[in-house]
Amino acid sequence: MNFAATLRIALLALRVNKMRSALTMLGIIIGVAAVIVMIAVGGGAQARVEEQIRSLGSNIIMVLSGSMTSGGARGGIGSQPTIFEDDAYAIGREIEEIQAAAPTLRGNGQVVFGNSNWSTVFYGITPDYLDVREWAVVEGRGFEPAEMNGAGKVALIGQTVARNLFGDASPIDQVIRVRKVPLTIIGVLDRKGQSMTGQDQDDILLMPISTARKRVLGAAMAKSRSVSSIMVKVRQGQDMSMADQRMRELLRQRHRLQAGQDDDFFVRNLSEILQAQEASSKVMALLLAAVASVSLLVGGIGIMNIMLVSVTERTREIGLRMAVGARGRDILTQFLVEAVTLSLIGGAIGILLGVGGAMAVAELAGWRTELSAASIVLAAGFAGAVGVFFGYYPARKASRLLPIEALRYE
Amino acid sequence: MAEALIRVEQLAKEYRMGSNVVPALQGVSLEIQAGEFVAVMGPSGSGKSTFMNLLGCLDHPSGGSYWLAGQEVSRLSGDELAQVRNSKLGFVFQHFNLLARTSALDNVGLPLLYSHMPLHERRLQAERRLRQVGLADRLDHHPAQLSGGQQQRVAIARALVNNPQLVLADEPTGALDSRTSVEIMALLLQLNREGITIVLVTHEHDVANFAGRIINFRDGRVIQDHANAAADAAAMLK
């Protein structure tokens, strides 16, 4: 018996009981659609986390100004300026695992251009900062060495600042005032989007660290060499915890801390937090897919149920087919193909519904979804496997009927 | 003497009903020559149906031997029996056993499906047989659109489509009125005259009377086996 003939018989049998076939398929349709939507939602969450890791810059360790204990009261992070520009240069120079260490000086204030103004965060930076954060200048240019060393009155701005002060006009070569200091905008930074804590990373203004220290932050800062934080980028492929360890040792040594004395700085390994988040989102995605697979399994049991009913109903037909020469395996193939056809048609409709559903979730709930070809192939393959697995038992039952008993069946 | 088409020797069949063994057929020996028209008669429980099932290779005997066209088929496996049924036998049933929602043409072509014949050739053969039973204008009709007599004609065409050496008819007129029954018998007689061997089971003497030989069964044994002056069904229709 050739395959085309078998398929034709299967389609005919499914058409005879349209309503029943449709309801049986519904189980598979819902199962496949659920698997696809859930994988898309899980994938979307994962992609978001990965994007945050990328936007932060990979392999980042933050060193923050620590607390100093005075008279038994321990201050919080940044309560005392305890890290200095030279600490950053020493880290970059002496620890081989580290690619770059960028000291930053943080402040905030009103930025004024003409008659519009905007409150933002500004950072005094060294050229290493853009390298560490893997941040590109999309319009204009970066800082020149002369501007870095000479406290040049220049600034780079983020997309949000650019939009709020200049609208659609080009900000390049415009002069703005930050805390009354006039700075010329020389470039606009690439879009970074939201950080993992929901902050707008594009709401930012960068200037040379010397400019921030000597011109913007005021007299108290001008004499100091302290910085708000140091952003450290570990070389690709190097062990983060090893770099972390060696950096702590170096800073303790430079700050002349005795054994047993607390660190006077904080080290935050941000990508570790993100990696933990990524791992949890992976587990979440897996869990969603597992729950969806259960519905596919239930759909499969529906197929088995209906195929068993169908075999019983068509006992005389089976007997006749055997009488005119069908062998056991011809009958087995016939019912198996019927079950697989049922599940594959259901699977195909489920794929369409799942893709549509994922798009609807993205559109209506505003969740990010990530449709992957792999998940569609997986769902289709799973649907086919369900058909074979749950169709086999009824088909075998049919193939083992004895012809005379099947013919006599009322 | 030429080899008989059917030769059975000490053919026996027992059924197991719980712990009881019920003998349905107890050592039947006979021969049927090619071209005969044989009626098998007997009350229910006489073993005639069991005998027909064994002749039709639908069941395995418990003892004895059965040669069909020179081949011993009593020792064959289930798949081999299916092959024998497919190539050498044709069946006509009391309740027609046609596939619902399937055209007459495809119903008749069904046995050829299992001998791997391509679709267009199946349809060609099926059409030829439907013409032979006088249903050339009903090729695309479904069983529900045909009368009982027409349905049985379709079933006969199906029994003939694989050029069988033997046609087995189990109460072929049991579900038909008397006029239609005679028509069906006339068709079977005509096919027999064209050279097809027919064995038919019936409990009606009128039907058996069309056969050239009548075998009577009782309690699993042949009690009478005699030639019969066959009635002419074609003449009765006039």
Side-chain angles (χ1 to χ4, degrees), chain A residues 369-392:
Chain A
T369 57
E370 200 98 323
L371 278 168
S372 68
S375 76
I376 290 168
V377 170
L378 184 87
F382 209 39
V386 159
V388 172
F389 185 78
F390 289 103
Y392 184 76

Short mmCIF file of all heavy atoms in Angstrom, two decimals, chain A residues 369-392:
data_model
loop_
_atom_site.label_atom_id
_atom_site.label_comp_id
_atom_site.label_asym_id
_atom_site.label_seq_id
_atom_site.Cartn_x
_atom_site.Cartn_y
_atom_site.Cartn_z
N THR A 369 8.68 39.72 23.15
CA THR A 369 8.67 38.29 22.82
C THR A 369 9.70 38.03 21.74
O THR A 369 9.99 38.91 20.92
CB THR A 369 7.29 37.84 22.32
OG1 THR A 369 6.94 38.64 21.19
CG2 THR A 369 6.24 37.96 23.40
N GLU A 370 10.26 36.86 21.77
CA GLU A 370 11.30 36.51 20.81
C GLU A 370 10.89 35.20 20.13
O GLU A 370 10.97 34.14 20.74
CB GLU A 370 12.62 36.34 21.57
CG GLU A 370 13.83 36.45 20.69
CD GLU A 370 14.45 37.84 20.74
OE1 GLU A 370 13.71 38.86 20.81
OE2 GLU A 370 15.67 37.93 20.71
N LEU A 371 10.37 35.28 18.90
CA LEU A 371 10.00 34.06 18.17
C LEU A 371 11.25 33.45 17.57
O LEU A 371 12.02 34.15 16.93
CB LEU A 371 9.03 34.41 17.04
CG LEU A 371 7.57 34.58 17.44
CD1 LEU A 371 6.81 35.20 16.30
CD2 LEU A 371 6.98 33.24 17.82
N SER A 372 11.44 32.17 17.81
CA SER A 372 12.61 31.56 17.18
C SER A 372 12.17 30.42 16.29
O SER A 372 11.18 29.73 16.57
CB SER A 372 13.58 31.05 18.26
OG SER A 372 12.99 29.97 18.94
N ALA A 373 12.90 30.26 15.18
CA ALA A 373 12.60 29.16 14.25
C ALA A 373 12.73 27.83 14.98
O ALA A 373 11.95 26.91 14.77
CB ALA A 373 13.55 29.22 13.06
N ALA A 374 13.70 27.77 15.90
CA ALA A 374 13.93 26.51 16.64
C ALA A 374 12.70 26.11 17.43
O ALA A 374 12.33 24.95 17.47
CB ALA A 374 15.13 26.67 17.56
N SER A 375 12.03 27.09 18.06
CA SER A 375 10.86 26.76 18.87
C SER A 375 9.72 26.27 18.00
O SER A 375 8.95 25.41 18.39
CB SER A 375 10.43 27.96 19.71
OG SER A 375 9.75 28.91 18.91
N ILE A 376 9.62 26.80 16.78
CA ILE A 376 8.56 26.38 15.87
C ILE A 376 8.82 24.95 15.38
O ILE A 376 7.93 24.10 15.37
CB ILE A 376 8.44 27.37 14.68
CG1 ILE A 376 7.86 28.69 15.21
CG2 ILE A 376 7.56 26.80 13.58
CD1 ILE A 376 7.94 29.83 14.24
N VAL A 377 10.07 24.70 15.01
CA VAL A 377 10.44 23.35 14.58
C VAL A 377 10.23 22.36 15.73
O VAL A 377 9.68 21.27 15.54
CB VAL A 377 11.92 23.31 14.11
CG1 VAL A 377 12.38 21.88 13.88
CG2 VAL A 377 12.09 24.14 12.85
N LEU A 378 10.62 22.79 16.92
CA LEU A 378 10.46 21.94 18.11
C LEU A 378 8.99 21.60 18.34
O LEU A 378 8.63 20.44 18.55
CB LEU A 378 11.02 22.68 19.33
CG LEU A 378 11.02 21.90 20.64
CD1 LEU A 378 12.29 21.08 20.74
CD2 LEU A 378 10.91 22.84 21.82
N ALA A 379 8.14 22.62 18.27
CA ALA A 379 6.71 22.41 18.52
C ALA A 379 6.11 21.49 17.47
O ALA A 379 5.33 20.58 17.79
CB ALA A 379 5.98 23.75 18.55
N ALA A 380 6.50 21.70 16.19
CA ALA A 380 5.97 20.85 15.12
C ALA A 380 6.45 19.41 15.30
O ALA A 380 5.67 18.46 15.17
CB ALA A 380 6.42 21.39 13.76
N GLY A 381 7.73 19.26 15.63
CA GLY A 381 8.27 17.92 15.83
C GLY A 381 7.60 17.23 17.01
O GLY A 381 7.27 16.04 16.95
N PHE A 382 7.35 18.00 18.04
CA PHE A 382 6.72 17.48 19.24
C PHE A 382 5.29 17.03 18.92
O PHE A 382 4.85 15.97 19.37
CB PHE A 382 6.73 18.55 20.32
CG PHE A 382 6.78 18.02 21.72
CD1 PHE A 382 7.55 16.91 22.03
CD2 PHE A 382 6.06 18.63 22.73
CE1 PHE A 382 7.60 16.42 23.32
CE2 PHE A 382 6.10 18.16 24.03
CZ PHE A 382 6.86 17.05 24.32
N ALA A 383 4.59 17.83 18.12
CA ALA A 383 3.22 17.49 17.74
C ALA A 383 3.20 16.17 16.97
O ALA A 383 2.37 15.29 17.23
CB ALA A 383 2.60 18.60 16.90
N GLY A 384 4.15 16.03 16.03
CA GLY A 384 4.23 14.79 15.26
C GLY A 384 4.52 13.60 16.16
O GLY A 384 3.91 12.53 16.04
N ALA A 385 5.45 13.82 17.10
CA ALA A 385 5.82 12.74 18.01
C ALA A 385 4.64 12.34 18.89
O ALA A 385 4.43 11.15 19.16
CB ALA A 385 7.00 13.19 18.89
N VAL A 386 3.85 13.33 19.30
CA VAL A 386 2.66 13.05 20.10
C VAL A 386 1.69 12.17 19.30
O VAL A 386 1.13 11.20 19.82
CB VAL A 386 1.97 14.38 20.53
CG1 VAL A 386 0.52 14.15 20.89
CG2 VAL A 386 2.71 14.99 21.71
N GLY A 387 1.54 12.50 18.00
CA GLY A 387 0.67 11.71 17.13
C GLY A 387 1.13 10.26 17.04
O GLY A 387 0.33 9.33 17.17
N VAL A 388 2.43 10.07 16.85
CA VAL A 388 2.97 8.71 16.74
C VAL A 388 2.81 7.97 18.06
O VAL A 388 2.33 6.84 18.12
CB VAL A 388 4.47 8.74 16.33
CG1 VAL A 388 5.07 7.35 16.41
CG2 VAL A 388 4.63 9.30 14.92
N PHE A 389 3.19 8.66 19.15
CA PHE A 389 3.20 8.02 20.46
C PHE A 389 1.79 7.63 20.89
O PHE A 389 1.55 6.49 21.29
CB PHE A 389 3.82 8.98 21.49
CG PHE A 389 3.98 8.36 22.85
CD1 PHE A 389 5.04 7.50 23.09
CD2 PHE A 389 3.09 8.63 23.86
CE1 PHE A 389 5.20 6.91 24.33
CE2 PHE A 389 3.25 8.06 25.11
CZ PHE A 389 4.30 7.20 25.34
N PHE A 390 0.84 8.58 20.79
CA PHE A 390 -0.50 8.30 21.27
C PHE A 390 -1.37 7.60 20.22
O PHE A 390 -2.43 7.09 20.54
CB PHE A 390 -1.18 9.58 21.75
CG PHE A 390 -0.60 10.10 23.03
CD1 PHE A 390 0.27 11.18 23.02
CD2 PHE A 390 -0.89 9.49 24.22
CE1 PHE A 390 0.82 11.65 24.20
CE2 PHE A 390 -0.33 9.95 25.41
CZ PHE A 390 0.53 11.03 25.39
N GLY A 391 -0.91 7.61 18.96
CA GLY A 391 -1.66 6.90 17.92
C GLY A 391 -1.25 5.44 17.83
O GLY A 391 -1.98 4.62 17.29
N TYR A 392 -0.09 5.11 18.40
CA TYR A 392 0.43 3.76 18.20
C TYR A 392 -0.43 2.71 18.88
O TYR A 392 -0.75 1.68 18.28
CB TYR A 392 1.88 3.67 18.71
CG TYR A 392 2.48 2.31 18.43
CD1 TYR A 392 2.90 1.98 17.14
CD2 TYR A 392 2.61 1.36 19.43
CE1 TYR A 392 3.41 0.74 16.86
CE2 TYR A 392 3.12 0.11 19.16
CZ TYR A 392 3.53 -0.20 17.88
OH TYR A 392 4.03 -1.43 17.60
#
